[in-house]
Amino acid sequence: MQSADLSLRLPPSMQLPAPEDPLEAFEREEVLSWEVDPDAETVRFLSLVVGDPGALGNLAEDLESVRRYDVTPVDEDTFYGYVEMDLRAADATLLGTFDVPGLMIVPPMVYTGRENVHVTVLGEPEAMAGLLETAPDEVDVEVTRVSEHQRRTETLAGRLTARQFEALEVAREAGYYEVPRSGELATVAEALECSESAASTLLRSAEKELVDAALRR
């Protein structure tokens, strides 16, 4: 058995048709479980989300396709979200991409924005090749890792706060984590609208959690 990490970039036609404001309140969504009901023409999702719990209600109100939703807070900016919505053709196409004999998705399926989806799949090499052949042409698929499936997965949504996710994203975009480093802490602090000391504390706290997750602490 092999596993592969895939990064998918969805075209506008396959993205969630929602206003930007509620989506910007979510830093990261880890889809833990999903179920497609073709008879009822619905799809159900259970996700662990880093962001404003109240924004899910705003999003549901903006989308006529949402039939039901429920929020279970974990802390002030992390929550479990359950959503039942109409099965769109785009959703069926995306999930159907992975409906390849001998292949399975290893949860979570991670969304880091409207268009970015990160998926780990497990299967025989022939099934992996079949996945790339059946992927829709309009979906940009990047294979970031292929190896024997020996890794343990652990959610990050329960470890990092929304502010820590924001700090890491800003630092990465600024070149702070490039080798050699091309971005300065002052640039990160300015983008976060905080002092350099506060920016450093945010980054080091987030880095500690990532290291602990990698070392299974």
Side-chain angles (χ1 to χ4, degrees):
M1 283 283 188
Q2 287 187 327
S3 71
D5 292 338
L6 310 176
S7 291
L8 282 62
R9 185 175 294 274
L10 304 181
S13 61
M14 297 183 70
Q15 297 172 20
L16 193 64
E20 196 65 33
D21 287 349
L23 290 179
E24 286 182 344
F26 304 143
E27 288 291 334
R28 178 185 179 93
E29 177 185 6
E30 298 182 352
V31 183
L32 306 177
S33 181
W34 55 91
E35 178 187 15
V36 175
D37 187 339
D39 294 332
E41 297 184 338
T42 61
V43 58
R44 306 178 185 92
F45 297 98
L46 176 64
S47 301
L48 185 59
V49 184
V50 176
D52 178 8
L56 182 58
N58 297 333
L59 182 62
E61 292 175 2
D62 289 327
L63 293 175
E64 295 182 358
S65 58
V66 174
R67 300 187 181 187
R68 177 188 172 192
Y69 74 94
D70 187 65
V71 174
T72 302
V74 176
D75 53 38
E76 63 181 9
D77 59 8
T78 306
F79 64 94
Y80 286 101
Y82 170 83
V83 177
E84 180 179 331
M85 60 190 300
D86 295 335
L87 178 61
R88 302 181 303 146
D91 298 323
T93 299
L94 176 61
L95 296 175
T97 299
F98 303 98
D99 189 14
V100 177
L103 190 76
M104 64 179 63
I105 298 176
V106 181
M109 182 185 297
V110 179
Y111 284 77
T112 54
R114 185 192 293 267
E115 62 183 16
N116 300 312
V117 187
H118 309 280
V119 184
T120 296
V121 293
L122 174 67
E124 299 295 344
E126 296 79 7
M128 297 286 187
L131 168 65
L132 297 178
E133 292 174 0
T134 59
D137 293 337
E138 62 270 28
V139 177
D140 181 17
V141 180
E142 178 186 0
V143 180
T144 58
R145 179 194 61 86
V146 177
S147 69
E148 295 300 316
H149 190 70
Q150 298 176 335
R151 301 194 315 164
R152 298 177 178 177
T153 59
E154 181 174 345
T155 177
L156 295 180
R159 284 182 172 269
L160 302 184
T161 67
R163 184 65 167 166
Q164 287 171 336
F165 271 115
E166 180 186 12
L168 288 173
E169 183 177 14
V170 166
R172 184 171 182 267
E173 291 178 353
Y176 186 78
Y177 290 116
E178 294 292 332
V179 180
R181 178 172 292 171
S182 60
E184 301 296 330
L185 181 61
T187 304
V188 178
E190 181 180 0
L192 293 173
E193 298 182 346
C194 67
S195 67
E196 290 188 35
S197 175
S200 177
T201 298
L202 274 170
L203 293 176
R204 290 179 64 83
S205 297
E207 291 160 6
K208 176 185 181 302
E209 293 297 337
L210 295 176
V211 171
D212 286 349
L215 298 178
R216 303 293 294 177
R217 300 301 188 201

